[in-house]
Amino acid sequence: MVTLDEGKGVGNYASAIGVSRFAMSRYLRDIGNRARNGGPGLGLVTIEPHPIDPRRRQVFLTAKGRSVANDVFQQMRRTRGDGSQ
């Protein structure tokens, strides 16, 4: 979801895929820099304060997140293009 529409808040992504805000927050934390258990996260997204309302947060891809997303989309195109799946 972040790959397709960066800069939204946790609630926006939660609504879009039909999960609770709490669940989405946990998922985003895990793919961020620090996982919810305090260990290292995957480093795919960063959560930044909203420029107008600092109580709100916006989610963006990191360089690593963009690279992973590009790899996934390329693989999807190859798979769809060769007719094998």
Side-chain angles (χ1 to χ4, degrees):
M1 288 303 301
V2 177
T3 301
L4 299 174
D5 196 12
E6 279 187 270
K8 302 293 183 194
V10 174
N12 297 101
Y13 295 122
S15 294
I17 65 170
V19 300
S20 72
R21 186 181 175 100
F22 176 77
M24 180 56 69
S25 181
R26 292 179 71 177
Y27 300 149
L28 290 170
R29 187 175 302 268
D30 285 342
I31 65 171
N33 289 333
R34 178 139 333 260
R36 59 186 156 185
N37 66 3
L42 297 176
L44 302 176
V45 298
T46 184
I47 301 172
E48 305 290 335
H50 190 277
I52 297 171
D53 184 355
R55 295 171 298 168
R56 293 176 47 206
R57 302 283 183 255
Q58 295 176 290
V59 184
F60 296 97
L61 291 173
T62 62
K64 180 180 177 182
R66 285 188 205 296
S67 177
V68 169
N70 286 334
D71 290 348
V72 168
F73 288 136
Q74 285 179 9
Q75 182 61 41
M76 289 172 64
R77 282 186 212 106
R78 280 193 296 266
T79 300
R80 205 168 60 192
D82 70 14
S84 64
Q85 293 183 350

